[in-house]
Structures are given as C-alpha cells and as structure tokens.
Amino acid sequence: MLREILTLESGTVMISGGGKRLARLYFQSWADRKGSALAEELPFPVEGEIYVGNPFRADFPVYLIVNPLTRKGTEREKLLRWLEMKREEGKLVLLYEERYVGDSIARYRIRNHLDYLIAYKRETMGAELLKVYKLENGRVVERKTYVRRPMTSGFGSEQ
C-alpha cells in the first residue's frame, strides 16, 4: 500500500505521528512528478520547485498542510471545504499531523476527506511502526501494518 500511495495521481493522504522522513519522501516525489508544489510551511527540508505560502489562495498540483487537526471553528470548516474542492479538481494533498492519530481517526470529520492515513509511531529500541489505513467515504476499507527494526551489530563482538 505504501507504493500505491507514492504513485497516486490525486487524493488526500494524512501522515500522523511525526513521520517526517516518510512525509518528505511522498511530498518530494509528488512535487518532482507534478512539476511544483505549495507548502503551508516546511517541517522538513525539501528540494526542487517548492513554494511556501497560503494554500487557500493559490493553485498548484501538490499541497502540504501542517497540523490540520489543531484547527478550530471556522478555520477547520474552511479547510474541509478546501479539501473537498481539491478532491474535485484532482489535486494531491499531503496532511502532516505531528500528533499520533490511528484508529481514533473515526472521531474526526476530516476522515471523510482522506484516501489514506499513515500512522507513524517510534517504538522502544528504535523500531518504527507504520499503520496504513485506506479509507473510502470516511470508513476504513483496508489496513496494513509495517514494522522496521533497526540493524543490530551484535554485542560482545571483537573488532
């Protein structure tokens, strides 16, 4: 499912839990493929033709929105309307949420605008856990879990 997300032509993906490396990979890849992108702000370094500015006032093929779940009241409603408009226009939108949201996505109205949710969590001893949810009409239709464990060098080995 991770490769499927990388090759999306349109849709909305949320990465939660601070998975900066993964968010950078997707955003950078989409921007390179589509020619340019607009980021609300840049929580990680990117290369290429990336503009920083207000996504509600510009037209780009790829967007990065940071911390969408912390928005309140009218700002949240404006974001939801904007996401619906970008879906109709066939744009790619990456929502980067620093706090972890996994199964609890059902509590948020934004779930109705997501195609995928990637919940990133760093476990003990450096292992990384990715839970990937495919959503349709706000409901999870498919779910996969990926675990990446760090390489170990073996204790007690002599050099």
Side-chain angles (χ1 to χ4, degrees):
M1 229 184 322
L2 292 173
R3 189 165 285 136
E4 183 179 318
I5 295 169
L6 189 62
T7 60
L8 281 177
E9 289 299 318
S10 66
T12 303
V13 176
M14 178 186 282
I15 296 178
S16 75
K20 287 184 180 184
R21 272 190 337 197
L22 189 60
R24 180 179 183 266
L25 172 87
Y26 283 131
F27 187 64
Q28 186 80 57
S29 175
W30 293 349
D32 290 347
R33 194 166 29 116
K34 296 288 189 170
S36 66
L38 178 70
E40 185 175 47
E41 62 182 80
L42 287 172
F44 42 81
V46 290
E47 299 170 2
E49 197 169 332
I50 309 295
Y51 297 91
V52 177
N54 185 344
F56 302 114
R57 295 188 178 160
D59 187 36
F60 281 81
V62 180
Y63 297 91
L64 172 66
I65 306 295
V66 179
N67 293 324
L69 299 180
T70 60
R71 298 169 193 237
K72 303 289 182 210
T74 58
E75 192 177 345
R76 180 177 43 231
E77 295 303 319
K78 181 179 177 180
L79 175 63
L80 294 177
R81 284 192 308 273
W82 182 84
L83 286 171
E84 187 61 37
M85 184 176 69
K86 294 304 167 191
R87 176 183 298 280
E88 291 169 4
E89 294 174 4
K91 306 292 182 165
L92 278 166
V93 179
L94 178 63
L95 304 171
Y96 177 76
E97 179 62 45
E98 290 177 351
R99 49 186 195 149
Y100 182 82
V101 177
D103 294 329
S104 63
I105 192 65
R107 288 188 281 159
Y108 299 97
R109 285 184 34 216
I110 203 165
R111 75 184 182 283
N112 297 318
H113 302 276
L114 298 180
D115 295 301
Y116 293 92
L117 168 65
I118 302 172
Y120 171 87
K121 187 187 288 185
R122 173 162 258 148
E123 296 287 325
T124 58
M125 301 300 291
E128 295 174 330
L129 179 68
L130 286 177
K131 292 184 179 181
V132 183
Y133 303 84
K134 184 174 185 177
L135 293 100
E136 290 178 4
N137 299 320
R139 295 190 170 276
V140 175
V141 295
E142 189 177 350
R143 160 187 340 217
K144 286 191 179 183
T145 301
Y146 300 90
V147 178
R148 181 173 159 245
R149 291 186 174 83
M151 301 286 287
T152 58
S153 59
F155 291 99
S157 63
E158 294 182 20
Q159 296 183 3

